[in-house]
Amino acid sequence: MSSSLRLAFAGTPDFAASSLAALLASQHNVVCVYTQPDRPAGRGRKPTASAVKQLAEQHGIPVHQPERLKTSDTWQPLIDADIDVLVVAAYGLILPKAVLDIPRLGALNIHASLLPRWRGAAPIQRAIAAGDTESGVTIMQMDEGLDTGDMLLVRTTPITDQTTGGDLHDTLAVLGGEAIVEALDRLAEGRDRLPATPQPEEGVTYASKLSKAEAELDLRQNARTLAATVRAFAPWPVAWARLNDDVVRFWHAQAQDVDHDAAPGTLLNAPKGELHIACGTGVLCVTRLQLPGGKPLAVRDVMNSRADRFQPGFSFTLPEDDA
């Protein structure tokens, strides 16, 4: 087999575009791209091309944007392209078996977790919110299940108590690009150079899709859980709580395992650029927040001009108090 593989690529957001960029810089040949249809975006809600489409068009690669992949006419371009491998990264559409069977060497998925942990839609954020200390990417041979295929290559990265969803996304986007190129290089040398490992039955978890509704913090929870949620949900959907009439969004926080006798949600103090909030257990130490109509700012900068809104003894509203 030639050392250069003939590829199709299916992906949509920035995470996928990073992998496409790595493939375009590699020895392999991307001959066509699939991505989701242009969607309304921005204040004007104008139809906007995905990050993958924009990159593909910059390189003169044919782009296909079917709403679904249920009929043979939508995947005929893959048959016509005579490809060795279909590379998939955060595409957003289910691939039927008829599509998976088209490439000579099958379809490879770049999944942003250490499978079988965090199969599904939001593995990056769920890993941080759960308190995991490690994440990574798995290059997986796709089958008809939800992220159930054999593992071909795994690369890991640590999650610290500073890591946000945005940080981990960016790290895994780069790692995914490096890993898929390595996997394809080895596959081009021979199938035995990329052995497949079935996923273990133990340790399976699912990463459900994120929603805005789950971003409201219940400050009766443990401070460690809340701090992890704050970091996981930045930059989207961004964790929040209501203080008086304002929705305050939290962009970065850590936890302190200290005892207190204050009611959950009570503002304790604001030392050294932190906002200390009493939780059910421990204290949430917020270091970056956003006021309505403003930009995310360090708490130190907020306190220089708006300290009157964060006086000790003020209390954030708990979720059921909204009714």
Side-chain angles (χ1 to χ4, degrees), residues 149-192:
D150 290 350
M151 300 178 294
L152 304 177
L153 194 67
V154 176
R155 292 292 178 265
T156 64
T157 189
I159 297 175
T160 74
D161 63 2
Q162 297 291 328
T163 304
T164 67
D167 296 334
L168 187 56
H169 168 280
D170 293 348
T171 297
L172 296 183
V174 173
L175 207 58
E178 295 171 351
I180 189 62
V181 171
E182 179 182 344
L184 293 170
D185 288 350
R186 290 165 61 174
L187 190 60
E189 295 172 2
R191 191 78 219 191
D192 60 334

Side-chain angles (χ1 to χ4, degrees), residues 90-317:
Y91 179 31
L93 292 182
I94 295 174
L95 303 184
K97 186 175 186 303
V99 171
L100 299 177
D101 289 342
I102 292 172
R104 272 188 290 277
L105 298 173
L108 304 189
N109 178 250
I110 307 164
H111 189 73
S113 84
L114 301 176
L115 291 172
R117 188 163 174 79
W118 303 126
R119 295 172 176 169
I124 295 173
Q125 294 84 358
R126 299 298 180 198
I128 298 174
D132 291 5
T133 57
E134 187 177 54
S135 181
V137 293
T138 303
I139 304 301
M140 178 187 66
Q141 185 82 54
M142 294 184 72
D143 61 17
E144 293 178 85
L146 175 62
D147 301 328
T148 56
D150 290 350
M151 300 178 294
L152 304 177
L153 194 67
V154 176
R155 292 292 178 265
T156 64
T157 189
I159 297 175
T160 74
D161 63 2
Q162 297 291 328
T163 304
T164 67
D167 296 334
L168 187 56
H169 168 280
D170 293 348
T171 297
L172 296 183
V174 173
L175 207 58
E178 295 171 351
I180 189 62
V181 171
E182 179 182 344
L184 293 170
D185 288 350
R186 290 165 61 174
L187 190 60
E189 295 172 2
R191 191 78 219 191
D192 60 334
R193 293 277 293 120
L194 195 65
T197 303
Q199 294 186 33
E201 296 184 1
E202 293 185 359
V204 174
T205 59
Y206 289 91
S208 60
K209 187 177 181 180
L210 297 178
S211 71
K212 289 184 178 180
E214 62 183 310
E216 183 179 7
L217 295 179
D218 184 345
L219 292 160
R220 287 164 297 201
Q221 293 182 311
N222 183 289
R224 286 187 174 274
T225 299
L226 291 164
T229 301
V230 168
R231 294 193 302 272
F233 285 8
W236 197 91
V238 185
W240 62 274
R242 192 181 303 278
L243 180 63
N244 298 322
D245 292 329
D246 292 333
V247 170
V248 180
R249 302 186 186 282
F250 301 118
W251 284 75
H252 202 279
Q254 292 178 282
Q256 283 188 359
D257 297 325
V258 296
D259 295 330
H260 63 78
D261 56 5
T266 303
L267 264 172
L268 300 175
N269 49 40
K272 299 179 181 178
E274 296 180 348
L275 202 64
H276 287 188
I277 305 170
C279 301
T281 304
V283 172
L284 185 67
C285 306
V286 180
T287 56
R288 191 171 180 80
L289 60 76
Q290 181 179 13
L291 294 174
K295 298 179 179 179
L297 294 172
V299 166
R300 179 179 290 103
D301 295 332
V302 174
M303 296 304 289
N304 285 338
S305 59
R306 310 302 296 270
D308 58 309
R309 300 173 76 165
F310 297 97
Q311 292 295 309
F314 286 4
S315 185
F316 284 89
T317 304

Side-chain angles (χ1 to χ4, degrees), residues 32-109:
C32 69
V33 160
Y34 273 64
T35 191
Q36 293 227 10
D38 297 358
R39 305 294 190 196
R43 291 187 175 181
R45 307 301 295 166
K46 295 180 179 178
T48 302
S50 72
V52 164
K53 179 180 179 180
Q54 294 178 42
L55 181 59
E57 289 185 336
Q58 290 171 15
H59 289 263
I61 300 172
V63 176
H64 306 284
Q65 298 178 273
E67 288 280 357
R68 298 285 186 273
L69 282 169
K70 292 185 176 180
T71 56
S72 59
D73 61 307
T74 60
W75 63 70
Q76 186 62 43
L78 288 175
I79 298 173
D80 296 340
D82 189 28
I83 55 175
D84 296 309
V85 178
L86 170 61
V87 176
V88 182
Y91 179 31
L93 292 182
I94 295 174
L95 303 184
K97 186 175 186 303
V99 171
L100 299 177
D101 289 342
I102 292 172
R104 272 188 290 277
L105 298 173
L108 304 189
N109 178 250

